[in-house]
Amino acid sequence: MSAFTTEPFSPKFKPYTRQTIQQARQWEWLPEEQREAVQVVSHVLPFRTNEYVLDQLIDWNNIPDDPIYRLVFPHRDMLPPEQYAHLRDLVLVQRDKAAIDAYVHGIRLGMNPHPAGQMTHNVPRVNDAPVRGLQHKYAQTVLFFPSAGQTCHAYCTFCFRWPQFVGMDDMKFDARESHELVAYLKLHPEVTDVLITGGDPMIMNTRQLAAYLEPLLAPGLEHIQNIRIGTKAVAYWPQRFVSDRDADDLMRLFERIVKAGKNLAVMGHYSHAVELRQDIAQQAVKRIVSTGATLRTQGPLIRHINEDPACWAELWQTGTRLGAIPYYMFVERDTGPRGYFELPLAKAYEVFQAAYQMVSGLSRTVRGPSMSAFPGKIVIDGIVSINGEKLFALQFLQARNPDWVRRPFYAKFDAEATWMDDLKPAFGHEKFFFETDEPLPHMPHKIIRLAQAA
């Protein structure tokens, strides 16, 4: 068995789930303990992969340590030992569906299913009613979740939006049509950016995608300058941009949006350099940028998958050569199986700094390591010593209150801290400066001020 298969790859998309993964030829290559883990843990976390990922991205001679295998296949260590043991008994021995469902629901609720105030503070309201399928955390940017785009070509085991895919309907964001989005945007001229996200909007065919995007080109929305599409398809199914039946139609749609005077930004989620080594993945990048759209690369730093600085440097360098702009290295969010994936913030900064040193100025557009925490996007600028005290140097790249942006602040150095909530203020302060401000309502600060002015 070769490290990577060399058989011709069929361009037809074929997904695999817990119910069908046994049909994949690679299933027979897995040790029994790996098969068991997939069957058990996938009751809690979503599992979906496809033939391209299996055939082209995973090195089957390096199981279970291959990074893409860890990226898409559930592992027993993603659950605490006692939870795994009990769930294994329910799934493989008792086979009691009602008991499984109840136990799984309890596990999920303990995994912080919607971090950073997504359900409590990010959902906008009109006439005191929530607008379904929208999030508005920062004044300039609205997130839109089209219902037809709430799945992916394959699921990442670290995904911070995993509740979208596991049947937790009361925690799901989705909008069936774009008319409420358009109406909301017309009420908010401060919004310049709309991010179409999911799931993955590129799971939709071009006709469906156009139905959501083209209304944003209408008169009355001139203040919308940037239309962003968040997608993992560039890595998990680049055929979407190259050889799918409507791939050419998709490129023409991109061209129409650019011709209409909007900046179309494809926010490509890449987790490892191997995802951009494939010829078809590189073709996808070239086709996207040839339409006049921009492609920006981003992804979280995650244990077991991309801790090697050289991996990030290769990803950024390859992207830059192809015309993709390195954008963000994120800190893995505090949700899902975070204990399996999280790295200390000090280690995250070390990896980022080492990777940054390996690339030229053209790739140094990347920012990180950045935490998308409740108050905003907080970047670790460095580890410094002031008056003999070792500290994290931090600042907001984006914030609920725009007055916080680019304001430096410091936290006590903690070698074990993995998230902002673990950090303590420096210089004897009891709270960080943003914790002493009055509590923020559900609407972004800038919007509140505009409403008051009106």
Side-chain angles (χ1 to χ4, degrees):
M1 180 173 58
S2 62
F4 293 91
T5 57
T6 57
E7 299 174 14
F9 179 70
S10 169
K12 186 176 180 180
F13 176 71
K14 183 177 181 179
Y16 293 100
T17 65
R18 180 178 73 245
Q19 291 78 14
T20 61
I21 186 60
Q22 296 89 345
Q23 299 172 13
R25 60 196 177 92
Q26 292 89 346
W27 183 251
E28 299 300 321
W29 303 348
L30 291 179
E32 180 57 35
E33 63 269 23
Q34 299 300 323
R35 295 190 215 172
E36 177 191 286
V38 172
Q39 293 300 313
V40 173
V41 180
S42 63
H43 279 80
V44 178
L45 300 170
F47 170 60
R48 175 179 166 101
T49 188
N50 65 64
E51 282 194 334
Y52 174 76
V53 173
L54 298 179
D55 287 353
Q56 304 296 316
L57 300 185
I58 295 175
D59 179 356
W60 292 95
N61 286 334
N62 190 29
I63 303 302
D65 294 327
D66 176 78
I68 304 302
Y69 179 80
R70 289 190 180 273
L71 187 63
V72 296
F73 278 82
H75 301 267
R76 67 178 299 155
D77 292 343
M78 292 176 183
L79 297 178
E82 64 279 4
Q83 286 185 354
Y84 183 88
H86 186 59
L87 184 58
R88 180 190 183 281
D89 181 66
L90 291 175
V91 170
L92 301 180
V93 180
Q94 298 186 37
R95 301 177 186 270
D96 184 335
K97 185 179 184 305
I100 293 170
D101 291 346
Y103 190 64
V104 164
H105 184 68
I107 294 175
R108 288 171 176 167
L109 291 180
M111 285 184 160
N112 190 21
H114 271 304
Q118 291 184 95
M119 295 290 292
T120 58
H121 286 70
N122 297 0
V123 178
R125 304 178 75 86
V126 174
N127 297 325
D128 203 32
V131 184
R132 185 175 177 86
L134 267 67
Q135 286 190 34
H136 195 177
K137 180 176 180 179
Y138 307 127
Q140 301 89 352
T141 306
V142 165
L143 277 62
F144 180 63
F145 297 75
S147 59
Q150 298 314 305
T151 187
C152 299
H153 292 94
Y155 294 146
C156 296
T157 43
F158 68 81
C159 181
F160 82 95
R161 289 218 173 99
W162 57 271
Q164 295 285 101
F165 317 127
V166 296
M168 301 178 76
D169 291 342
D170 57 334
M171 295 189 178
K172 189 173 183 178
F173 296 101
D174 62 346
R176 300 192 184 285
E177 298 176 356
S178 61
H179 67 275
E180 284 191 329
L181 169 65
V182 170
Y184 182 80
L185 293 175
K186 287 182 176 179
L187 293 173
H188 293 276
E190 74 281 2
V191 176
T192 59
D193 291 43
V194 176
L195 170 57
I196 315 297
T197 186
D200 193 330
M202 298 315 305
I203 203 77
M204 293 187 281
N205 62 41
T206 301
R207 177 183 53 79
Q208 289 175 307
L209 184 62
Y212 288 112
L213 295 184
E214 290 181 335
L216 301 178
L217 310 180
L221 294 179
E222 288 78 9
H223 57 289
I224 304 302
Q225 302 172 21
N226 307 300
I227 298 173
R228 310 185 201 177
I229 302 175
T231 181
K232 183 72 178 178
V234 287
Y236 281 167
W237 188 251
Q239 289 82 354
R240 182 69 193 90
F241 308 92
V242 178
S243 58
D244 272 6
R245 183 168 54 185
D246 63 345
D248 290 345
D249 293 335
L250 179 63
M251 296 301 101
R252 285 189 283 269
L253 172 62
F254 286 4
E255 288 173 343
R256 289 200 301 276
I257 293 170
V258 173
K259 188 176 181 180
K262 308 292 186 184
N263 171 43
L264 178 63
V266 177
M267 317 305 291
H269 293 257
Y270 294 93
S271 304
H272 194 277
V274 70
E275 296 171 328
L276 203 46
R277 289 175 191 158
Q278 315 306 310
D279 287 344
I280 195 165
Q282 298 193 9
Q283 291 177 44
V285 174
K286 292 177 181 178
R287 293 203 85 198
I288 291 168
V289 298
S290 74
T291 67
T294 58
L295 173 60
R296 298 176 187 267
T297 64
Q298 59 185 23
L301 173 63
I302 30 186
R303 189 158 56 99
H304 304 298
I305 293 174
N306 54 21
E307 300 165 73
D308 182 1
C311 170
W312 286 94
E314 179 189 343
L315 178 62
W316 298 337
Q317 288 170 321
T318 304
T320 298
R321 175 173 57 82
L322 297 170
I325 304 166
Y327 189 49
Y328 267 119
M329 175 199 281
F330 291 112
V331 175
E332 170 58 6
R333 289 202 183 191
D334 55 337
T335 183
R338 64 172 296 189
Y340 184 81
F341 288 120
E342 66 186 357
L343 282 166
L345 298 177
K347 175 68 173 178
Y349 179 73
E350 177 186 312
V351 172
F352 179 84
Q353 184 184 39
Y356 201 79
Q357 292 173 351
M358 296 179 188
V359 300
S360 73
L362 290 178
S363 295
R364 291 184 178 179
T365 51
V366 67
R367 297 175 290 183
S370 171
M371 293 175 278
S372 293
F374 176 79
K377 284 190 175 72
I378 300 172
V379 68
I380 304 169
D381 264 343
I383 298 173
V384 300
S385 180
I386 299 178
N387 294 330
E389 185 178 1
K390 193 174 184 181
L391 306 169
F392 284 115
L394 308 164
Q395 66 169 295
F396 282 97
L397 297 177
Q398 184 61 281
R400 291 185 184 277
N401 184 335
D403 294 336
W404 300 345
V405 174
R406 302 295 292 185
R407 179 173 168 179
F409 65 103
Y410 298 89
K412 294 179 181 178
F413 180 81
D414 183 344
E416 303 302 320
T418 61
W419 194 248
M420 187 64 207
D421 294 348
D422 300 329
L423 298 180
K424 306 297 182 186
F427 312 128
H429 297 298
E430 293 186 3
K431 295 183 178 181
F432 292 106
F433 75 89
F434 53 88
E435 295 176 321
T436 61
D437 285 5
E438 293 183 5
L440 289 170
H442 297 308
M443 296 173 65
H445 185 71
K446 189 172 181 180
I447 300 174
I448 297 166
R449 292 189 300 194
L450 285 169
Q452 290 172 342

